[in-house]
Amino acid sequence: QFQEHKSMNPKLQSILVLAALEEEEKALLDLLKKELPTSSLHRTTLDSKLGLEMTTADIKKRSVSIVKTGIGSVNAALALHLAYH
């Protein structure tokens, strides 16, 4: 069983989106801001050495988090691990 990262709201269903490129992360964040202008975004550092940060928004009964991972399956796996621990 995964434990959700402290910035994810445990009372909500969590959705984690991994974006490999900065452009993808920006597009997703811009879409969130456009579609849900009243939602507040929270940024959390997952690992400062790896430069992994997660942006989270609580939307109705869901907590949506976006992490820019960089390219590669190893980067994605590390981001996934850090986001849920």
Side-chain angles (χ1 to χ4, degrees):
Q1 169 123 2
F2 287 113
Q3 291 181 347
E4 294 176 329
H5 193 271
K6 60 188 171 198
S7 70
M8 293 183 183
N9 189 334
K11 296 178 182 176
L12 303 177
Q13 293 178 342
S14 295
I15 298 170
L16 178 65
V17 180
L18 302 178
L21 302 174
E22 188 173 336
E23 294 83 1
E24 294 170 334
E25 178 192 37
K26 183 181 179 323
L28 290 165
L29 292 174
D30 288 347
L31 182 63
L32 272 179
K33 291 174 189 174
K34 178 183 173 189
E35 296 296 323
L36 303 159
T38 60
S39 291
S40 61
L41 301 175
H42 307 283
R43 197 138 175 109
T44 304
T45 300
L46 298 176
D47 189 296
S48 58
K49 290 180 182 178
L50 297 175
L52 291 174
E53 293 182 329
M54 179 169 61
T55 304
T56 303
D58 292 342
I59 303 167
K60 296 184 182 179
K61 294 184 179 185
R62 290 186 170 71
S63 178
V64 178
S65 299
I66 301 168
V67 179
K68 182 178 70 70
T69 62
I71 296 174
S73 58
V74 172
N75 290 356
L78 281 171
L80 182 60
H81 174 75
L82 292 170
Y84 280 99
H85 286 85

